[in-house]
């Protein structure tokens, strides 16, 4: 198992990276609205919908995977008695909500790095299709 200093660095990294998932989600939600609008106005068929939903789903996955990874690492630091002060309040709030289930979380650092990349690709694909449907791209 890595040292506590490395775990704290990984926690900080994943807590920051999860906010990209939030930004991706809002962007994907706008694209979904644009795609549904294009379907409703007859500018495009239903074939645009899977791209918009893929962008939305991968952005949620990006947030969730990084959040679970950060919480699993915080749980490990808590077991070691070395929970950083910067994350103590957040971990206490999550522990109150999730209770003993928080100890069942696992860190998935590779997935936590891959999902934001997949989300960017899905968002780009959806943006191209939505932009094309509205005549903004050719």
């Amino acid at each position: 198992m890595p040292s506590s200093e490395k775990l704290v660095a990984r926690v900080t990294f994943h807590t920051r990276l999860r906010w990209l998932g939030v930004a991706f989600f809002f962007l994907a939600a706008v694209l979904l609205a644009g795609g549904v609008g294009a379907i409703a106005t007859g500018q495009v068929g239903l074939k645009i919908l899977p791209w918009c939903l893929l962008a939305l789903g991968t952005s949620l996955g990006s947030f969730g995977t990084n959040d679970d990874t950060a919480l699993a690492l915080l749980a490990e630091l808590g077991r070691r008695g070395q929970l950083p002060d910067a994350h103590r309040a957040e971990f206490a709030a999550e522990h109150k909500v999730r209770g003993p289930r928080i100890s069942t979380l696992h860190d998935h650092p590779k997935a936590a790095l891959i999902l934001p990349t997949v989300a960017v690709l899905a968002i780009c694909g959806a943006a191209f299709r939505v932009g094309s449907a509205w005549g903004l791209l050719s």
Side-chain angles (χ1 to χ4, degrees):
M1 190 59 139
S3 68
S4 295
E5 294 82 24
K6 287 185 180 184
L7 288 179
V8 170
R10 286 177 54 196
V11 166
T12 303
F13 175 74
H14 288 291
T15 55
R16 289 180 181 163
L17 191 57
R18 70 181 170 189
W19 292 110
L20 274 180
V22 173
F24 292 161
F25 174 77
F26 285 115
L27 184 56
V30 169
L31 290 171
L32 178 63
V36 169
I39 292 169
T41 58
Q43 296 178 23
V44 71
L46 290 174
K47 63 183 179 183
I48 198 171
L49 200 54
W51 283 97
C52 295
L53 292 175
L54 177 67
L56 197 66
T58 55
S59 64
L60 283 173
S62 175
F63 173 82
T65 305
N66 278 290
D67 189 52
D68 285 353
T69 298
L71 289 174
L73 295 172
L74 284 173
E76 174 60 30
L77 285 167
R79 283 189 288 276
R80 293 181 182 187
Q82 298 175 338
L83 194 62
D85 290 335
H87 300 288
R88 195 174 299 273
E90 176 187 4
F91 187 69
E94 286 289 338
H95 199 277
K96 183 183 281 188
V97 172
R98 295 186 188 201
R101 293 182 320 211
I102 204 162
S103 64
T104 64
L105 292 174
H106 299 284
D107 64 324
H108 300 283
K110 290 180 184 174
L113 292 176
I114 292 170
L115 270 172
T117 305
V118 173
V120 166
L121 295 173
I123 287 169
C124 288
F128 177 77
R129 282 157 181 80
V130 170
S132 296
W134 286 103
L136 303 172
L137 303 170
S138 32

